[in-house]
Amino acid sequence: MSANQTPPSTPYDSAFLKACRREPVPHTPVWFMRQAGRSLPEYRKVRQGIGMLDSCMRPDLVAEITLQPVRRHGVDAAIYFSDIVVPLKAIGIDLDIKPGVGPVVEQPVRTRADLARLRDLTPEDVSYVTEAIGLLTAELGATPLIGFAGAPFTLASYLVEGGPSRTYENAKAMMYGDPELWADLLDRLAEITAAFLKVQIEAGASAVQLFDSWAGALAPADYRRSVLPASAKVFDAVAGYGVPRIHFGVGTGELLGLMGEAGADVVGVDWRVPLDEAVRRVGPGKALQGNLDPTVLFAGTGAVETKAREVLDAAAGLEGHVFNLGHGVMPSTDPDALTRLVEYVHTQTAV
């Protein structure tokens, strides 16, 4: 921000939301996926001895963790600290997040009878979310808060597989072998996900991001037929709030256009596709988010700046650009490298 510019007085006027709306910005806004997390010593300190799911349900802890990267790095947006399986836990699914493994579901969803366990999510199920966002918006002031949720495909994959997978054989077997059951499962999850995002928006989130972490495992035709309708249902359900909707997946270069079709205002791009190529695939009318390779942050300041410059140059012709990594911050990343990167992007793009 140059000397003659005054800082925004509300999140609506922030560089981040302006970029999402494809409006002129004072500088390219920056935030990082997983910016609140294990790369920060202050995060490890407050989480000591507290399980992941427990920490997601304590409003004071959620607020503190969400604010940590805003204080340290000067990023242009905060992202609500949670986990994609929180809404599933909230409706009574027996699962836990096991260190070094990830979410593990006690009884996987494999039959039509199992769908009965996926009941509606109500605001009362996640009252801690409403409380935490109230604390956050009071503290953040003009800095926007991004709400988030896991997309129906990724949630379905966890539920059907029973945990993380490299091959998704059970989820894909259902998708190919029992397409009616698959469609009903994703539709249920779309309703739960939409309800979870609505709680966040109504509590004060200024934007939302839908993470389809595993969608890159799909061919475009399968995505269009078996996944896109459920993601579109989520985006459509929150369209009336008028907040920007971001869609992100990993390894989704072949799906970028379809992910935009699902209803996102901003399409997240991982590091595999340059942004000038991504805009061709996505088409007009969308902002893009991304897409520095997270591993570049281990290479030293000169290399980080060189690669960040390449991202900015590739983004030069975009209608709207939010600078981010092409995936989440890795746990062993030096936090100071992130702080320097924010400063570099802000300085290089100030108008």
Side-chain angles (χ1 to χ4, degrees):
M1 187 172 293
S2 61
N4 61 350
Q5 289 170 331
T6 55
S9 56
T10 68
Y12 185 86
D13 298 317
S14 64
F16 168 73
L17 290 180
K18 282 177 179 287
C20 291
R21 297 192 301 262
R22 295 176 288 121
E23 297 172 0
V25 291
H27 59 264
T28 297
V30 188
W31 72 278
F32 303 115
M33 289 176 281
R34 294 189 192 145
Q35 63 188 16
R38 288 171 290 173
S39 65
L40 299 181
E42 56 266 40
Y43 168 83
R44 295 193 294 271
K45 184 177 179 182
V46 298
R47 271 282 321 276
Q48 203 163 11
I50 304 170
M52 179 63 184
L53 282 171
D54 288 340
S55 63
C56 293
M57 297 175 189
R58 287 179 42 178
D60 58 334
L61 196 54
V62 169
E64 168 59 24
I65 292 170
T66 301
L67 289 165
Q68 285 176 348
V70 179
R71 296 190 198 115
R72 181 187 270 263
H73 303 313
V75 285
D76 292 278
I79 183 161
Y80 183 78
F81 174 75
S82 187
D83 189 272
I84 62 171
V85 298
V86 163
L88 299 179
K89 183 74 172 179
I91 62 168
I93 299 297
D94 188 359
L95 58 82
D96 196 13
I97 299 174
K98 299 195 174 177
V101 178
V104 176
V105 179
E106 188 63 30
Q107 293 179 284
V109 172
R110 302 278 171 83
T111 68
R112 183 159 294 279
D114 291 330
L115 290 186
R117 291 190 275 139
L118 298 173
R119 66 166 177 83
D120 291 344
L121 181 137
T122 69
E124 291 72 32
D125 292 323
V126 288
S127 57
Y128 47 85
V129 172
T130 301
E131 186 179 340
I133 290 180
L135 295 172
L136 278 164
T137 53
E139 192 80 22
L140 285 166
T143 300
L145 174 67
I146 306 167
F148 91 97
F153 172 75
T154 292
L155 293 180
S157 298
Y158 275 115
L159 284 171
V160 176
E161 297 293 339
S165 172
R166 292 184 184 277
T167 55
Y168 319 103
E169 63 262 34
N170 294 298
K172 286 189 170 185
M174 183 188 291
M175 183 177 76
Y176 296 134
D178 194 343
E180 286 188 13
L181 175 58
W182 175 259
D184 289 346
L185 170 59
L186 260 68
D187 191 67
R188 252 340 350 252
L189 290 169
E191 291 172 357
I192 292 163
T193 299
F196 189 54
L197 289 178
K198 285 178 180 179
V199 167
Q200 295 176 65
I201 296 167
E202 289 177 7
S206 298
V208 290
Q209 175 160 300
L210 195 65
F211 283 83
D212 214 347
S213 314
W214 291 0
L218 297 166
D222 292 327
Y223 180 90
R224 179 182 287 285
R225 178 176 55 250
S226 303
V227 174
L228 191 152
S231 294
K233 183 173 182 174
V234 175
F235 284 126
D236 187 58
V238 299
Y241 291 100
V243 303
R245 298 157 298 169
I246 310 168
H247 203 5
F248 175 76
V250 187
T252 51
E254 298 300 318
L255 307 177
L256 287 174
L258 292 168
M259 291 177 75
E261 275 183 44
D265 305 295
V266 184
V267 177
V269 184
D270 77 9
W271 67 93
R272 296 169 178 86
V273 180
L275 292 176
D276 47 1
E277 168 60 17
V279 73
R280 188 188 67 77
R281 297 184 188 188
V282 172
K286 310 282 184 185
L288 295 187
Q289 177 177 280
N291 67 340
L292 185 73
D293 185 336
T295 60
V296 172
L297 289 159
F298 296 92
T301 302
V304 171
E305 291 183 355
T306 297
K307 298 301 285 185
R309 185 69 257 170
E310 289 177 11
V311 171
L312 294 173
D313 288 345
L318 302 185
E319 291 182 81
H321 177 223
V322 176
F323 190 98
N324 207 312
L325 303 180
H327 195 197
V329 174
M330 299 172 82
S332 53
T333 303
D334 177 4
D336 290 343
L338 291 168
T339 306
R340 289 192 296 267
L341 177 56
V342 174
E343 176 63 23
Y344 177 79
V345 173
H346 284 174
T347 302
Q348 290 293 305
T349 60
V351 295

